[in-house]
Amino acid sequence: MTMKKNMILAALLALAACGPKNAKEWTVRTDEAAPADIETVAVSWEILPIDEREMPIPTPFSAKCYGSKTFLQAGHYPSGVKVYMLEEGRVAGVLDAQGRGPGEYQDLSGFAYCPETSELLINDRILKGFRHFRVPEMTWESDEPLGRYLLNFEVLDATHSVFCYEPEGETPGRLVIWDHARGEAVSSMEVSMLEGSLMEEMHQTRTARGAVLFSIPGRTTTLWRADVSGFSPVAEVALLPDAFGPEVWEEQNRERLVQRFSEVMEKDPRIAIGADFPVLSGKSMAFWYHAGYASDPMWRLAISRPDGVRTVSKLTVEGYPDPLQVIGSDGDRWISVLELELLEDVPAPKGRLYTRLQELKAQGCETVLLFFSVL
């Protein structure tokens, strides 16, 4: 989030809507967050080595999986962003159509793949809509302008996607289930200016059954499920302690609200906002929350099970210098990227993951994707 966006959001904080009714209620305390090694947290993990012998790939910053296909978004803004399609770790296609002509994109801000139609949809913010490309050829098929900016999106089936229109001026955000064939929303749900703006930071999770999980951040974070039949509430999550308090939530003066919100986001160590990449399994839940600009890392892990809640300030891999950050999801698994040149020497490793990473490094592998589940 930029400082300008912070000020806009701060002025809107008092507009946060109440959570859904008839949903599960969870309380997650974040004040006892502590570092943890992934092998003490994950119930399973898997490594996918990326084969870069024929085509080097910049460090990816977004990843999505659809069956045997893994898609990576990599490159540098404002130019040079591409989508790489992997099959068993090998590059099987590259969407590289940056430009201003027909069939080209100028601002590739998001993507999703539709297995039923073999189409890769991208969100081009200059178009204010979707561009459709044929897979695996990565050839342009059509443009689908919407007339408004949209946030993160995901496909539901052959003709439907779910996304949120970004708030613009006095126009609030709106969650929609979009029918691409008819060019219209078949279900919609209005969100406040605050909720819609905060959702720009949050990613969706596509489940194995074609539904999508997402969160609406606010004073109480709400979790929802979307499928072709509509939206349904799943849970309410209270992230405690509340770093903002009545000085923000009940403040009516714009200037004091902006000042207080900015101070909290920059300095308060108790911040916890939103539920990024939410995962649900029975009576358990896990997600990543934003911990403020002064935190390193800014995104932290929360796991809520019937036997208790655990919050992790830094999720680490033995021998790797940087804490893990999630770049995507595959059903109930999250995806992180590791660069093996950064792997340090550990004379007596304690876990199996480090040994496997060293083996791959010795074989000449430079980058791997780490898939892991905590539920």
Side-chain angles (χ1 to χ4, degrees):
M1 300 181 192
T2 64
M3 182 59 67
K4 180 179 180 181
K5 181 176 288 185
N6 291 344
M7 297 178 68
I8 294 173
L9 296 181
L12 297 167
L13 276 170
L15 301 178
C18 297
K21 304 302 179 184
N22 302 318
K24 297 179 182 178
E25 296 181 0
W26 272 292
T27 297
V28 175
R29 297 199 63 88
T30 62
D31 50 348
E32 296 182 355
D37 183 89
I38 188 172
E39 292 192 64
T40 68
V41 175
V43 297
S44 65
W45 55 264
E46 180 182 353
I47 294 175
L48 177 65
I50 299 179
D51 187 346
E52 300 181 81
R53 289 173 295 181
E54 297 181 4
M55 181 178 296
I57 301 177
T59 303
F61 56 83
S62 180
K64 293 184 178 184
C65 291
Y66 304 85
S68 63
K69 294 179 170 58
T70 301
F71 294 84
L72 305 176
Q73 189 175 0
H76 301 282
Y77 286 108
S79 62
V81 178
K82 305 175 184 179
V83 177
Y84 298 80
M85 184 179 72
L86 306 182
E87 291 184 337
E88 297 182 349
R90 183 185 63 84
V91 179
V94 182
L95 177 61
D96 181 10
Q98 185 97 28
R100 296 178 178 272
E104 297 178 323
Y105 54 82
Q106 295 185 55
D107 188 346
L108 197 169
S109 63
F111 70 93
Y113 174 64
C114 182
E116 293 88 349
T117 62
S118 297
E119 285 184 309
L120 184 65
L121 282 67
I122 71 161
N123 170 15
D124 187 343
R125 289 184 65 84
I126 301 301
L127 175 68
K128 288 189 176 182
F130 298 105
R131 297 191 191 274
H132 297 242
F133 293 85
R134 172 64 54 185
V135 172
E137 299 84 0
M138 299 300 183
T139 53
W140 173 69
E141 289 193 321
S142 64
D143 289 340
E144 186 181 1
L146 302 178
R148 281 184 63 180
Y149 294 116
L150 62 118
L151 307 182
N152 294 310
F153 76 99
E154 188 54 85
V155 296
L156 295 172
D157 65 7
T159 57
H160 296 88
S161 295
V162 58
F163 56 86
C164 182
Y165 281 120
E166 186 175 315
E168 296 181 11
E170 298 299 320
T171 305
R174 179 170 292 276
L175 279 156
V176 301
I177 295 174
W178 188 259
D179 188 325
H180 295 279
R182 294 162 54 180
E184 62 182 26
V186 294
S187 297
S188 67
M189 181 172 65
E190 186 172 298
V191 294
S192 72
M193 299 282 286
L194 166 65
E195 293 169 328
S197 297
L198 285 176
M199 285 185 69
E200 188 172 4
E201 299 288 327
M202 303 295 154
H203 298 86
Q204 302 165 341
T205 303
R206 189 171 188 264
T207 71
R209 297 184 178 182
V212 167
L213 297 175
F214 63 91
S215 76
I216 301 179
R219 186 172 192 172
T220 296
T221 292
T222 57
L223 272 62
W224 291 80
R225 177 183 287 107
D227 57 30
V228 294
S229 65
F231 298 101
S232 56
V234 176
E236 293 183 348
V237 183
L239 297 169
L240 300 176
D242 178 9
F244 298 99
E247 296 87 354
V248 169
W249 301 118
E250 299 176 11
E251 180 59 67
Q252 300 299 314
N253 180 275
R254 178 188 175 93
E255 292 184 3
R256 288 196 296 267
L257 190 59
V258 170
Q259 180 180 358
R260 174 59 179 159
F261 181 78
S262 299
E263 289 174 352
V264 173
M265 288 298 293
E266 293 174 4
K267 300 178 181 179
D268 199 311
R270 302 169 300 165
I271 296 171
I273 298 177
D276 199 30
F277 293 114
V279 176
L280 298 172
S281 178
K283 296 181 179 180
S284 300
M285 167 188 63
F287 58 84
W288 296 76
Y289 63 90
H290 196 294
Y293 305 126
S295 300
D296 183 20
M298 288 192 295
W299 293 94
R300 299 183 174 185
L301 173 61
I303 306 171
S304 180
R305 299 190 179 102
D307 59 353
V309 176
R310 181 175 186 177
T311 50
V312 179
S313 58
K314 289 185 179 182
L315 186 60
T316 58
V317 170
E318 183 181 16
Y320 200 76
D322 302 323
L324 284 181
Q325 291 290 275
V326 171
I327 66 168
S329 63
D330 175 23
D332 61 354
R333 303 190 301 174
W334 290 318
I335 307 170
S336 291
V337 60
L338 299 174
E339 299 178 79
L340 298 190
E341 66 177 1
L342 301 179
L343 203 61
E344 300 167 342
D345 182 40
V346 179
K350 300 177 181 179
R352 296 182 296 111
L353 179 54
Y354 174 82
T355 302
R356 179 57 180 150
L357 294 175
Q358 280 287 33
E359 291 175 352
L360 292 170
K361 182 180 179 181
Q363 295 169 11
C365 181
E366 298 180 358
T367 308
V368 302
L369 297 180
L370 175 63
F371 296 76
F372 63 100
S373 175
V374 298
L375 298 182

